[in-house]
Amino acid sequence: MRHDNILILDFGSQYSHLIARRIRELGVYCELHACTNAKEAIAELSPKGIILSGGPYSVYEKDAPHASEDIWKVGLPVLGICYGLQEMALHHGGKVDQGEHREYGHAELIINKSAGLFDGLPESTKVWMSHGDKVHEIPDGFCDIAHTSNSEHAAFANVEQQLYGIQFHPEVSHTPLGKTILKNFVQGICHCKADWSMGSFVDEAIQRIRKQVGDGVVIGAISGGVDSSVAAVLMHQAIGDRFKGFLVDNGVLRHNEAQQVMDRLKDHLGINLTLIDASRLFLDRLKGVTEPETKRKIIGNTFINLFEAEANLIEGANFLLQGTLYPDVIESVSFKGPSATIKTHHNVGGLLENMKLELIEPLRELFKDEVRALGLELGLDEESVYRQPFPGPGLAIRILGDITKERLDMLRQADVIYIEEIKKAGLYREIGQAFAVFLPIKSVGVMGDSRTYEQVIALRAVQTTDYMTADWFPMPDEVLRISANRIINEVHGINRVVYDISSKPPSTIEWE
Protein backbone atom coordinates (compact mmCIF):
# COMPACT_ATOMS: atom_id res chain seq x y z
CA MET A 1 0.00 0.00 0.00
CA ARG A 2 1.41 3.38 -0.97
CA HIS A 3 0.61 6.20 1.45
CA ASP A 4 0.01 9.83 0.62
CA ASN A 5 3.21 11.59 1.58
CA ILE A 6 5.02 14.88 1.93
CA LEU A 7 8.57 15.63 0.76
CA ILE A 8 10.64 17.85 3.07
CA LEU A 9 13.70 19.46 1.50
CA ASP A 10 16.43 20.19 4.03
CA PHE A 11 18.45 23.40 3.77
CA GLY A 12 20.48 22.62 6.90
CA SER A 13 18.16 23.78 9.70
CA GLN A 14 18.64 22.35 13.16
CA TYR A 15 14.85 21.93 13.22
CA SER A 16 14.42 20.01 9.94
CA HIS A 17 13.89 16.64 11.62
CA LEU A 18 11.19 18.20 13.82
CA ILE A 19 9.14 19.05 10.73
CA ALA A 20 9.18 15.36 9.81
CA ARG A 21 8.22 14.32 13.33
CA ARG A 22 5.29 16.71 13.49
CA ILE A 23 3.90 15.51 10.15
CA ARG A 24 4.29 11.85 11.15
CA GLU A 25 2.39 12.71 14.35
CA LEU A 26 -0.48 13.85 12.11
CA GLY A 27 -0.66 10.34 10.65
CA VAL A 28 0.90 11.37 7.33
CA TYR A 29 4.05 9.75 5.99
CA CYS A 30 6.92 12.06 5.00
CA GLU A 31 10.62 11.91 4.21
CA LEU A 32 13.44 14.40 4.61
CA HIS A 33 15.85 14.78 1.68
CA ALA A 34 18.72 17.13 0.92
CA CYS A 35 17.58 20.24 -0.95
CA THR A 36 20.03 19.35 -3.72
CA ASN A 37 18.23 16.03 -4.26
CA ALA A 38 14.78 17.43 -5.10
CA LYS A 39 14.37 16.00 -8.59
CA GLU A 40 15.26 12.43 -7.58
CA ALA A 41 13.15 12.60 -4.40
CA ILE A 42 10.06 13.81 -6.29
CA ALA A 43 10.44 10.97 -8.79
CA GLU A 44 10.91 8.40 -6.02
CA LEU A 45 8.15 9.51 -3.64
CA SER A 46 5.48 11.10 -5.88
CA PRO A 47 4.60 13.42 -2.98
CA LYS A 48 1.37 15.37 -2.65
CA GLY A 49 3.19 18.43 -1.32
CA ILE A 50 6.65 19.86 -0.60
CA ILE A 51 8.01 21.68 2.45
CA LEU A 52 11.19 23.77 2.32
CA SER A 53 12.99 23.85 5.67
CA GLY A 54 14.84 26.66 7.36
CA GLY A 55 18.60 26.99 7.15
CA PRO A 56 21.61 28.91 8.51
CA TYR A 57 22.42 30.67 5.23
CA SER A 58 21.41 33.90 3.50
CA VAL A 59 19.61 33.14 0.22
CA TYR A 60 21.33 36.02 -1.60
CA GLU A 61 24.89 34.87 -0.78
CA LYS A 62 27.06 33.36 -3.53
CA ASP A 63 27.31 29.85 -2.02
CA ALA A 64 23.81 29.65 -0.53
CA PRO A 65 21.99 26.37 -1.28
CA HIS A 66 19.06 26.45 -3.69
CA ALA A 67 16.51 23.82 -4.58
CA SER A 68 16.13 22.37 -8.04
CA GLU A 69 13.83 24.15 -10.48
CA ASP A 70 11.75 20.96 -10.49
CA ILE A 71 9.90 21.88 -7.31
CA TRP A 72 8.32 24.89 -9.04
CA LYS A 73 7.41 22.98 -12.22
CA VAL A 74 5.54 19.94 -10.88
CA GLY A 75 2.47 21.90 -9.79
CA LEU A 76 2.52 20.68 -6.18
CA PRO A 77 1.65 22.79 -3.14
CA VAL A 78 4.82 24.18 -1.52
CA LEU A 79 5.28 25.53 2.00
CA GLY A 80 8.46 27.50 2.68
CA ILE A 81 9.57 27.83 6.33
CA CYS A 82 11.99 30.64 7.31
CA TYR A 83 14.86 30.18 4.80
CA GLY A 84 12.30 28.29 2.68
CA LEU A 85 10.09 31.40 2.58
CA GLN A 86 13.06 33.51 1.50
CA GLU A 87 14.00 30.95 -1.16
CA MET A 88 10.44 31.08 -2.50
CA ALA A 89 10.41 34.89 -2.51
CA LEU A 90 13.80 35.20 -4.23
CA HIS A 91 12.97 32.63 -6.92
CA HIS A 92 9.71 34.38 -7.85
CA GLY A 93 11.20 37.88 -8.05
CA GLY A 94 10.81 39.17 -4.50
CA LYS A 95 13.48 41.05 -2.57
CA VAL A 96 15.34 39.49 0.37
CA ASP A 97 18.01 41.24 2.42
CA GLN A 98 19.20 41.80 5.96
CA GLY A 99 16.58 43.10 8.35
CA GLU A 100 17.08 46.27 10.32
CA HIS A 101 16.44 44.23 13.45
CA ARG A 102 17.01 40.53 13.92
CA GLU A 103 14.07 38.54 15.26
CA TYR A 104 14.82 35.64 17.61
CA GLY A 105 12.40 34.12 20.08
CA HIS A 106 8.68 34.60 20.60
CA ALA A 107 6.73 37.02 18.41
CA GLU A 108 3.06 37.89 18.13
CA LEU A 109 1.74 36.89 14.70
CA ILE A 110 -1.18 38.99 13.44
CA ILE A 111 -3.17 37.11 10.79
CA ASN A 112 -4.53 39.19 7.90
CA LYS A 113 -6.07 36.39 5.88
CA SER A 114 -6.43 32.61 6.39
CA ALA A 115 -5.70 31.49 2.79
CA GLY A 116 -6.38 27.95 4.02
CA LEU A 117 -3.09 27.88 5.95
CA PHE A 118 -4.40 29.60 9.07
CA ASP A 119 -7.86 27.99 9.23
CA GLY A 120 -9.02 27.64 12.83
CA LEU A 121 -6.44 30.06 14.26
CA PRO A 122 -7.30 33.20 16.25
CA GLU A 123 -6.51 36.65 14.86
CA SER A 124 -3.20 36.67 16.75
CA THR A 125 -1.00 33.85 18.08
CA LYS A 126 2.49 33.34 19.45
CA VAL A 127 5.13 32.00 17.06
CA TRP A 128 8.86 31.28 17.26
CA MET A 129 11.14 33.39 15.09
CA SER A 130 14.81 32.75 14.29
CA HIS A 131 16.07 35.00 11.48
CA GLY A 132 18.25 37.98 10.66
CA ASP A 133 17.25 38.34 6.99
CA LYS A 134 13.74 39.26 5.91
CA VAL A 135 11.58 39.64 2.82
CA HIS A 136 11.42 43.35 1.93
CA GLU A 137 9.23 42.94 -1.17
CA ILE A 138 6.95 39.99 -1.91
CA PRO A 139 6.79 38.64 -5.48
CA ASP A 140 4.08 39.61 -7.96
CA GLY A 141 1.01 37.41 -7.61
CA PHE A 142 1.57 36.89 -3.85
CA CYS A 143 -0.31 38.54 -1.02
CA ASP A 144 0.55 39.04 2.65
CA ILE A 145 -1.46 36.84 4.99
CA ALA A 146 0.26 37.64 8.34
CA HIS A 147 2.73 40.04 9.95
CA THR A 148 4.59 40.75 13.19
CA SER A 149 5.85 44.05 14.59
CA ASN A 150 9.24 43.35 12.97
CA SER A 151 8.20 41.44 9.81
CA GLU A 152 5.55 42.98 7.58
CA HIS A 153 5.78 39.88 5.36
CA ALA A 154 5.80 37.21 8.10
CA ALA A 155 3.58 35.01 5.92
CA PHE A 156 2.50 35.30 2.29
CA ALA A 157 0.72 33.16 -0.27
CA ASN A 158 -0.09 32.68 -3.92
CA VAL A 159 -3.27 30.67 -3.44
CA GLU A 160 -3.78 30.07 -7.16
CA GLN A 161 -0.36 28.39 -7.48
CA GLN A 162 -0.64 26.86 -3.96
CA LEU A 163 2.59 28.48 -2.77
CA TYR A 164 2.85 29.49 0.89
CA GLY A 165 5.66 31.03 2.91
CA ILE A 166 6.01 31.57 6.66
CA GLN A 167 8.94 33.31 8.36
CA PHE A 168 8.46 31.52 11.69
CA HIS A 169 8.96 27.88 12.75
CA PRO A 170 5.68 25.94 13.19
CA GLU A 171 7.54 22.71 13.99
CA VAL A 172 8.93 23.78 17.39
CA SER A 173 6.96 23.54 20.62
CA HIS A 174 7.44 27.30 21.14
CA THR A 175 4.84 27.86 18.38
CA PRO A 176 1.77 26.51 20.25
CA LEU A 177 -0.50 26.31 17.19
CA GLY A 178 2.23 25.27 14.78
CA LYS A 179 0.90 21.74 14.45
CA THR A 180 -2.47 23.14 13.34
CA ILE A 181 -0.73 25.16 10.62
CA LEU A 182 1.13 22.07 9.40
CA LYS A 183 -2.10 20.06 9.49
CA ASN A 184 -3.86 22.74 7.42
CA PHE A 185 -1.12 22.50 4.80
CA VAL A 186 -0.66 18.73 4.77
CA GLN A 187 -4.29 17.60 5.07
CA GLY A 188 -6.20 20.67 3.97
CA ILE A 189 -4.16 22.08 1.09
CA CYS A 190 -2.31 18.91 -0.02
CA HIS A 191 -5.29 16.59 0.73
CA CYS A 192 -3.11 13.89 2.32
CA LYS A 193 -4.96 11.05 4.05
CA ALA A 194 -3.93 10.40 7.66
CA ASP A 195 -3.28 6.68 7.19
CA TRP A 196 0.29 6.33 8.48
CA SER A 197 0.19 4.10 11.59
CA MET A 198 2.23 1.42 13.28
CA GLY A 199 -0.32 -1.22 12.38
CA SER A 200 0.00 -0.52 8.68
CA PHE A 201 3.78 -0.18 9.05
CA VAL A 202 4.11 -3.69 10.51
CA ASP A 203 2.33 -5.35 7.59
CA GLU A 204 4.31 -3.38 5.01
CA ALA A 205 7.64 -3.93 6.78
CA ILE A 206 7.10 -7.68 6.98
CA GLN A 207 6.29 -7.79 3.25
CA ARG A 208 9.43 -5.79 2.44
CA ILE A 209 11.61 -8.04 4.61
CA ARG A 210 10.28 -11.21 3.01
CA LYS A 211 10.82 -9.78 -0.47
CA GLN A 212 14.40 -8.69 0.32
CA VAL A 213 15.44 -11.84 2.20
CA GLY A 214 13.66 -14.50 0.16
CA ASP A 215 14.86 -17.86 1.47
CA GLY A 216 17.99 -16.33 3.02
CA VAL A 217 19.26 -16.24 6.57
CA VAL A 218 19.61 -13.04 8.62
CA ILE A 219 21.98 -12.64 11.55
CA GLY A 220 22.15 -9.80 14.04
CA ALA A 221 23.74 -8.67 17.29
CA ILE A 222 21.13 -7.95 19.98
CA SER A 223 22.02 -5.65 22.86
CA GLY A 224 18.67 -5.72 24.65
CA GLY A 225 18.09 -2.03 23.92
CA VAL A 226 14.82 -0.92 22.38
CA ASP A 227 16.15 -0.52 18.80
CA SER A 228 17.79 -3.94 18.49
CA SER A 229 14.95 -5.64 20.40
CA VAL A 230 12.22 -4.19 18.17
CA ALA A 231 14.22 -4.98 15.03
CA ALA A 232 14.71 -8.57 16.23
CA VAL A 233 11.00 -9.08 17.02
CA LEU A 234 9.99 -7.67 13.63
CA MET A 235 12.51 -9.89 11.83
CA HIS A 236 11.34 -12.96 13.77
CA GLN A 237 7.71 -12.26 12.81
CA ALA A 238 8.77 -11.95 9.17
CA ILE A 239 11.04 -14.99 8.74
CA GLY A 240 10.88 -17.00 11.96
CA ASP A 241 13.97 -19.01 12.93
CA ARG A 242 15.83 -17.96 9.79
CA PHE A 243 16.71 -14.94 11.86
CA LYS A 244 19.57 -15.89 14.17
CA GLY A 245 20.46 -13.37 16.87
CA PHE A 246 23.46 -13.21 19.19
CA LEU A 247 23.66 -11.59 22.60
CA VAL A 248 27.23 -11.08 23.79
CA ASP A 249 27.79 -10.89 27.55
CA ASN A 250 30.88 -8.71 27.65
CA GLY A 251 31.21 -8.75 31.42
CA VAL A 252 30.27 -5.08 31.77
CA LEU A 253 26.49 -5.40 31.54
CA ARG A 254 24.21 -4.36 34.38
CA HIS A 255 22.99 -6.72 37.09
CA ASN A 256 21.50 -9.91 35.61
CA GLU A 257 21.00 -8.10 32.28
CA ALA A 258 22.01 -10.90 29.92
CA GLN A 259 19.59 -13.36 31.52
CA GLN A 260 16.77 -10.81 31.51
CA VAL A 261 17.21 -10.20 27.78
CA MET A 262 17.25 -13.94 27.07
CA ASP A 263 14.10 -14.45 29.16
CA ARG A 264 12.32 -11.58 27.44
CA LEU A 265 13.26 -12.22 23.82
CA LYS A 266 13.99 -15.95 23.60
CA ASP A 267 11.79 -17.55 26.24
CA HIS A 268 8.82 -15.16 26.08
CA LEU A 269 8.80 -14.11 22.39
CA GLY A 270 10.44 -17.17 20.83
CA ILE A 271 13.30 -15.39 19.04
CA ASN A 272 16.18 -17.59 17.90
CA LEU A 273 18.75 -15.98 20.20
CA THR A 274 22.09 -17.39 21.36
CA LEU A 275 23.93 -16.10 24.43
CA ILE A 276 27.71 -15.84 24.08
CA ASP A 277 29.32 -15.57 27.51
CA ALA A 278 32.60 -13.82 26.80
CA SER A 279 32.83 -11.90 30.05
CA ARG A 280 36.19 -13.41 31.05
CA LEU A 281 37.71 -12.59 27.64
CA PHE A 282 36.58 -8.95 27.77
CA LEU A 283 37.64 -8.41 31.39
CA ASP A 284 41.08 -9.96 30.74
CA ARG A 285 41.63 -7.55 27.84
CA LEU A 286 40.41 -4.58 29.92
CA LYS A 287 42.65 -5.36 32.90
CA GLY A 288 44.72 -2.32 33.87
CA VAL A 289 43.18 -0.12 31.15
CA THR A 290 42.10 3.30 32.43
CA GLU A 291 41.91 5.50 29.31
CA PRO A 292 38.25 5.80 28.18
CA GLU A 293 38.81 5.67 24.42
CA THR A 294 41.08 2.63 24.79
CA LYS A 295 38.33 0.89 26.76
CA ARG A 296 35.87 1.60 23.94
CA LYS A 297 38.22 0.31 21.25
CA ILE A 298 39.03 -2.89 23.14
CA ILE A 299 35.34 -3.64 23.69
CA GLY A 300 34.38 -2.75 20.10
CA ASN A 301 37.17 -4.77 18.46
CA THR A 302 36.63 -7.79 20.72
CA PHE A 303 32.91 -7.69 19.96
CA ILE A 304 33.52 -7.60 16.20
CA ASN A 305 35.96 -10.53 16.36
CA LEU A 306 33.51 -12.61 18.38
CA PHE A 307 30.54 -11.76 16.18
CA GLU A 308 32.45 -12.57 12.99
CA ALA A 309 33.56 -15.93 14.39
CA GLU A 310 29.99 -16.87 15.32
CA ALA A 311 28.58 -15.59 12.02
CA ASN A 312 31.01 -17.73 10.04
CA LEU A 313 29.49 -20.80 11.69
CA ILE A 314 26.01 -19.99 10.37
CA GLU A 315 25.43 -21.75 7.07
CA GLY A 316 23.81 -19.58 4.41
CA ALA A 317 23.98 -16.32 6.40
CA ASN A 318 23.78 -13.53 3.84
CA PHE A 319 22.04 -10.62 5.61
CA LEU A 320 23.01 -8.50 8.61
CA LEU A 321 20.27 -6.86 10.70
CA GLN A 322 20.91 -3.37 12.07
CA GLY A 323 18.61 -1.17 14.14
CA THR A 324 19.39 2.03 12.24
CA LEU A 325 16.77 4.74 12.90
CA TYR A 326 15.64 7.68 10.78
CA PRO A 327 17.75 10.27 12.68
CA ASP A 328 20.84 8.25 11.63
CA VAL A 329 19.65 8.32 8.02
CA ILE A 330 18.90 12.05 8.21
CA GLU A 331 22.40 12.72 9.53
CA SER A 332 23.83 10.83 6.58
CA VAL A 333 21.76 12.29 3.74
CA SER A 334 20.62 15.76 4.74
CA PHE A 335 22.20 18.97 3.51
CA LYS A 336 25.02 19.83 5.90
CA GLY A 337 27.42 21.67 3.62
CA PRO A 338 30.82 20.57 2.33
CA SER A 339 32.13 19.37 5.70
CA ALA A 340 29.40 16.76 6.18
CA THR A 341 30.35 13.49 7.84
CA ILE A 342 28.38 10.26 7.84
CA LYS A 343 27.64 8.63 11.16
CA THR A 344 28.94 5.15 11.93
CA HIS A 345 26.06 3.12 13.29
CA HIS A 346 26.26 1.18 16.54
CA ASN A 347 29.13 -1.21 17.31
CA VAL A 348 29.57 -2.85 13.93
CA GLY A 349 31.61 -0.29 12.04
CA GLY A 350 33.72 -2.16 9.48
CA LEU A 351 31.71 -5.35 9.87
CA LEU A 352 29.96 -5.23 6.51
CA GLU A 353 33.09 -4.90 4.38
CA ASN A 354 34.78 -7.85 6.08
CA MET A 355 31.76 -10.14 6.17
CA LYS A 356 30.29 -9.43 2.73
CA LEU A 357 26.76 -9.38 4.13
CA GLU A 358 23.84 -7.41 2.73
CA LEU A 359 22.53 -4.87 5.20
CA ILE A 360 18.88 -4.96 6.24
CA GLU A 361 17.50 -2.00 8.25
CA PRO A 362 13.74 -2.39 8.85
CA LEU A 363 13.54 0.61 11.23
CA ARG A 364 15.36 3.14 9.07
CA GLU A 365 12.12 5.07 8.37
CA LEU A 366 11.25 5.55 12.06
CA PHE A 367 11.99 8.01 14.85
CA LYS A 368 12.68 6.73 18.38
CA ASP A 369 9.14 7.41 19.62
CA GLU A 370 7.76 5.54 16.60
CA VAL A 371 10.06 2.59 17.37
CA ARG A 372 8.62 2.47 20.88
CA ALA A 373 5.07 2.50 19.46
CA LEU A 374 6.09 -0.28 17.06
CA GLY A 375 7.50 -2.32 19.94
CA LEU A 376 4.18 -2.18 21.76
CA GLU A 377 2.37 -3.08 18.52
CA LEU A 378 4.63 -6.15 18.19
CA GLY A 379 3.94 -7.34 21.73
CA LEU A 380 7.05 -6.17 23.60
CA ASP A 381 6.41 -5.29 27.23
CA GLU A 382 6.53 -1.64 28.33
CA GLU A 383 9.66 -2.16 30.42
CA SER A 384 11.57 -3.22 27.30
CA VAL A 385 10.07 -0.54 25.07
CA TYR A 386 10.80 2.33 27.46
CA ARG A 387 14.20 1.06 28.59
CA GLN A 388 16.66 3.92 28.89
CA PRO A 389 19.74 3.94 26.62
CA PHE A 390 22.76 1.94 27.74
CA PRO A 391 26.16 2.57 26.11
CA GLY A 392 27.84 -0.13 24.03
CA PRO A 393 30.93 -0.16 26.31
CA GLY A 394 28.55 -0.63 29.25
CA LEU A 395 29.81 -0.24 32.80
CA ALA A 396 33.38 0.00 31.51
CA ILE A 397 32.83 3.74 30.98
CA ARG A 398 30.91 4.11 34.24
CA ILE A 399 33.88 2.89 36.24
CA LEU A 400 36.52 5.60 36.17
CA GLY A 401 39.92 3.97 36.28
CA ASP A 402 40.67 0.24 36.50
CA ILE A 403 37.87 -2.24 35.86
CA THR A 404 37.83 -5.03 38.44
CA LYS A 405 35.25 -7.61 39.48
CA GLU A 406 34.97 -5.97 42.91
CA ARG A 407 34.25 -2.55 41.38
CA LEU A 408 31.77 -4.02 38.90
CA ASP A 409 29.88 -5.75 41.73
CA MET A 410 29.67 -2.53 43.77
CA LEU A 411 28.51 -0.47 40.79
CA ARG A 412 25.89 -3.04 39.73
CA GLN A 413 24.38 -3.11 43.22
CA ALA A 414 24.35 0.69 43.51
CA ASP A 415 22.80 1.08 40.06
CA VAL A 416 20.02 -1.43 40.80
CA ILE A 417 19.11 0.38 44.03
CA TYR A 418 19.07 3.80 42.32
CA ILE A 419 16.85 2.67 39.43
CA GLU A 420 14.53 0.84 41.84
CA GLU A 421 13.95 4.04 43.82
CA ILE A 422 13.40 6.10 40.67
CA LYS A 423 10.78 3.61 39.47
CA LYS A 424 9.10 3.50 42.90
CA ALA A 425 8.76 7.29 42.72
CA GLY A 426 7.15 7.03 39.26
CA LEU A 427 9.91 9.10 37.65
CA TYR A 428 11.56 6.61 35.28
CA ARG A 429 9.64 7.70 32.16
CA GLU A 430 10.33 11.39 32.91
CA ILE A 431 14.10 10.86 32.84
CA GLY A 432 16.11 10.48 29.63
CA GLN A 433 18.90 8.54 31.31
CA ALA A 434 19.74 7.67 34.92
CA PHE A 435 22.67 5.65 36.24
CA ALA A 436 25.38 5.30 38.88
CA VAL A 437 29.09 5.96 38.35
CA PHE A 438 31.99 4.44 40.31
CA LEU A 439 34.62 7.06 41.18
CA PRO A 440 38.29 6.05 41.61
CA ILE A 441 38.60 7.87 44.94
CA LYS A 442 38.08 7.05 48.58
CA SER A 443 36.70 9.24 51.33
CA VAL A 444 36.59 9.16 55.11
CA GLY A 445 33.37 8.12 56.78
CA VAL A 446 31.99 6.90 60.09
CA MET A 447 29.91 3.74 60.49
CA GLY A 448 28.92 2.85 64.02
CA ASP A 449 31.91 3.63 66.22
CA SER A 450 34.44 2.97 63.47
CA ARG A 451 36.17 5.24 60.99
CA THR A 452 35.92 4.08 57.35
CA TYR A 453 37.90 4.91 54.22
CA GLU A 454 35.84 3.65 51.31
CA GLN A 455 34.63 4.31 47.76
CA VAL A 456 32.38 7.03 46.34
CA ILE A 457 29.40 6.57 44.00
CA ALA A 458 28.05 9.41 41.84
CA LEU A 459 24.41 9.38 40.74
CA ARG A 460 23.45 10.92 37.40
CA ALA A 461 20.05 11.69 35.85
CA VAL A 462 19.29 13.91 32.86
CA GLN A 463 16.23 15.12 30.98
CA THR A 464 16.55 15.35 27.21
CA THR A 465 14.64 14.80 23.98
CA ASP A 466 17.50 14.32 21.51
CA TYR A 467 20.53 13.38 23.69
CA MET A 468 22.52 16.07 21.84
CA THR A 469 21.82 18.43 24.72
CA ALA A 470 20.65 17.54 28.22
CA ASP A 471 19.91 19.19 31.54
CA TRP A 472 20.37 17.58 34.93
CA PHE A 473 17.14 16.20 36.36
CA PRO A 474 15.89 17.90 39.57
CA MET A 475 15.61 14.67 41.50
CA PRO A 476 13.32 14.97 44.55
CA ASP A 477 15.23 15.13 47.84
CA GLU A 478 13.43 12.06 49.19
CA VAL A 479 14.50 9.88 46.24
CA LEU A 480 18.13 10.98 46.65
CA ARG A 481 18.00 10.48 50.42
CA ILE A 482 16.58 6.97 50.22
CA SER A 483 18.90 5.97 47.32
CA ALA A 484 22.02 7.22 49.11
CA ASN A 485 21.00 5.64 52.40
CA ARG A 486 20.33 2.26 50.78
CA ILE A 487 23.53 2.29 48.72
CA ILE A 488 25.72 3.10 51.74
CA ASN A 489 23.99 0.51 53.92
CA GLU A 490 23.55 -2.29 51.37
CA VAL A 491 26.66 -2.05 49.19
CA HIS A 492 29.78 -3.11 51.05
CA GLY A 493 32.69 -0.76 50.33
CA ILE A 494 30.70 2.44 49.67
CA ASN A 495 30.51 5.21 52.27
CA ARG A 496 29.63 8.31 50.23
CA VAL A 497 27.12 9.17 47.46
CA VAL A 498 27.09 12.40 45.41
CA TYR A 499 24.66 13.76 42.78
CA ASP A 500 25.87 15.15 39.43
CA ILE A 501 24.17 18.48 38.56
CA SER A 502 26.09 19.33 35.36
CA SER A 503 24.35 19.80 32.00
CA LYS A 504 25.36 18.90 28.44
CA PRO A 505 27.12 21.02 27.27
CA PRO A 506 29.61 21.66 28.81
CA SER A 507 29.61 18.16 30.31
CA THR A 508 28.59 14.96 28.55
CA ILE A 509 25.83 12.62 29.74
CA GLU A 510 28.26 9.77 30.43
CA TRP A 511 31.35 10.45 32.52
CA GLU A 512 33.72 8.81 30.04
Side-chain angles (χ1 to χ4, degrees):
M1 175 182 175
R2 190 175 183 94
H3 298 275
D4 290 346
N5 68 83
I6 295 292
L7 168 63
I8 305 163
L9 294 178
D10 179 27
F11 288 86
S13 170
Q14 61 180 321
Y15 303 131
S16 294
H17 68 287
L18 289 179
I19 304 172
R21 289 194 61 168
R22 297 296 172 259
I23 293 173
R24 297 271 188 94
E25 288 168 2
L26 293 170
V28 177
Y29 184 66
C30 63
E31 287 190 13
L32 182 68
H33 287 255
C35 61
T36 52
N37 193 43
K39 183 177 182 179
E40 294 82 355
I42 291 171
E44 176 188 340
L45 293 175
S46 298
K48 298 197 74 172
I50 298 172
I51 295 178
L52 312 182
S53 84
Y57 309 92
S58 293
V59 292
Y60 48 80
E61 290 179 342
K62 179 183 176 182
D63 296 325
H66 299 287
S68 163
E69 292 285 325
D70 296 84
I71 67 170
W72 313 114
K73 295 178 179 178
V74 290
L76 294 172
V78 179
L79 172 64
I81 296 174
C82 197
Y83 182 96
L85 164 139
Q86 295 166 15
E87 170 82 349
M88 182 181 290
L90 190 69
H91 176 83
H92 289 88
K95 183 180 178 182
V96 181
D97 210 331
Q98 287 182 342
E100 186 176 342
H101 302 288
R102 295 186 299 174
E103 196 171 22
Y104 292 99
H106 279 116
E108 193 74 18
L109 185 77
I110 309 301
I111 297 171
N112 310 333
K113 184 185 297 185
S114 170
L117 193 64
F118 297 140
D119 285 356
L121 269 66
E123 290 183 0
S124 68
T125 182
K126 288 192 181 300
V127 296
W128 184 259
M129 291 285 192
S130 181
H131 66 99
D133 295 334
K134 62 188 289 187
V135 175
H136 291 274
E137 294 179 13
I138 63 173
D140 290 341
F142 286 73
C143 65
D144 287 311
I145 58 174
H147 65 277
T148 69
S149 59
N150 186 51
S151 296
E152 61 271 32
H153 310 300
F156 57 60
N158 183 323
V159 177
E160 184 180 345
Q161 295 185 35
Q162 294 187 294
L163 302 179
Y164 303 83
I166 52 178
Q167 185 62 75
F168 57 91
H169 289 273
E171 69 273 25
V172 300
S173 59
H174 304 302
T175 300
L177 298 178
K179 197 168 178 179
T180 301
I181 296 169
L182 291 173
K183 182 178 181 180
N184 285 339
F185 178 73
V186 168
Q187 296 182 11
I189 294 169
C190 299
H191 305 294
C192 287
K193 294 189 293 290
D195 57 3
W196 166 252
S197 69
M198 281 303 108
S200 62
F201 177 84
V202 170
D203 296 337
E204 293 162 21
I206 287 174
Q207 290 176 22
R208 286 198 301 268
I209 289 168
R210 289 172 177 168
K211 183 177 179 180
Q212 182 179 356
V213 173
D215 295 328
V217 173
V218 180
I219 61 172
I222 308 303
S223 67
V226 61
D227 302 341
S228 67
S229 294
V230 171
V233 174
L234 183 60
M235 191 61 60
H236 173 73
Q237 290 197 10
I239 63 172
D241 283 349
R242 286 188 291 120
F243 169 65
K244 303 178 186 301
F246 298 96
L247 172 65
V248 177
D249 184 349
N250 56 17
V252 287
L253 299 178
R254 288 170 291 193
H255 177 69
N256 204 29
E257 188 161 25
Q259 191 55 54
Q260 288 174 358
V261 174
M262 293 298 292
D263 291 345
R264 187 167 64 240
L265 296 182
K266 182 176 182 177
D267 297 343
H268 181 63
L269 294 175
I271 293 173
N272 187 356
L273 183 61
T274 300
L275 175 62
I276 303 171
D277 186 356
S279 53
R280 179 172 294 181
L281 172 64
F282 278 87
L283 293 181
D284 284 348
R285 293 186 178 182
L286 288 168
K287 189 174 182 180
V289 177
T290 60
E291 205 277 320
E293 199 55 34
T294 305
K295 291 178 183 177
R296 292 177 183 273
K297 288 178 179 177
I298 288 171
I299 291 171
N301 292 336
T302 304
F303 170 83
I304 288 172
N305 293 337
L306 270 174
F307 188 77
E308 286 180 332
E310 291 295 328
N312 287 333
L313 300 176
I314 304 298
E315 186 176 350
N318 38 20
F319 293 91
L320 174 66
L321 174 67
Q322 279 195 307
T324 308
L325 303 191
Y326 200 43
D328 300 323
V329 177
I330 289 172
E331 187 167 342
S332 298
V333 304
S334 293
F335 182 84
K336 302 294 181 186
S339 61
T341 56
I342 296 178
K343 183 177 181 179
T344 300
H345 304 305
H346 308 293
N347 294 323
V348 290
L351 207 58
L352 291 175
E353 184 179 344
N354 296 335
M355 297 178 66
K356 308 298 182 188
L357 295 176
E358 184 178 338
L359 189 62
I360 185 165
E361 301 170 301
L363 309 182
R364 65 179 282 115
E365 298 172 350
L366 304 181
F367 289 101
K368 175 70 82 172
D369 54 337
E370 293 173 326
V371 172
R372 296 192 197 282
L374 175 59
L376 295 174
E377 184 79 24
L378 292 170
L380 271 169
D381 59 283
E382 286 203 10
E383 186 174 351
S384 303
V385 167
Y386 290 99
R387 177 182 183 267
Q388 293 176 0
F390 186 62
L395 300 181
I397 58 170
R398 292 180 180 172
I399 293 177
L400 278 60
D402 289 336
I403 300 166
T404 66
K405 184 180 183 303
E406 180 185 25
R407 290 181 169 189
L408 281 166
D409 288 343
M410 281 191 276
L411 180 57
R412 286 188 179 111
Q413 292 176 63
D415 193 73
V416 165
I417 290 168
Y418 182 40
I419 299 302
E420 277 180 2
E421 294 304 324
I422 287 173
K423 288 182 176 179
K424 282 181 186 176
L427 297 172
Y428 187 77
R429 295 268 290 272
E430 296 180 28
I431 296 170
Q433 211 165 338
F435 53 90
V437 179
F438 182 96
L439 303 185
I441 56 175
K442 290 187 174 183
S443 73
V444 174
V446 177
M447 290 187 179
D449 296 323
S450 302
R451 179 179 181 273
T452 62
Y453 189 57
E454 294 180 330
Q455 303 291 160
V456 180
I457 287 287
L459 303 181
R460 177 78 157 142
V462 298
Q463 47 193 0
T464 179
T465 55
D466 57 12
Y467 294 88
M468 301 300 293
T469 61
D471 200 2
W472 61 277
F473 184 79
M475 192 69 70
D477 294 349
E478 186 68 4
V479 176
L480 290 175
R481 186 187 67 78
I482 295 173
S483 297
N485 188 57
R486 284 191 60 194
I487 289 169
I488 291 169
N489 281 288
E490 297 177 30
V491 184
H492 180 70
I494 302 295
N495 73 353
R496 190 177 298 272
V497 175
V498 298
Y499 189 60
D500 180 354
I501 58 168
S502 50
S503 297
K504 176 186 179 181
S507 302
T508 54
I509 295 176
E510 298 286 348
W511 277 49
E512 286 193 344

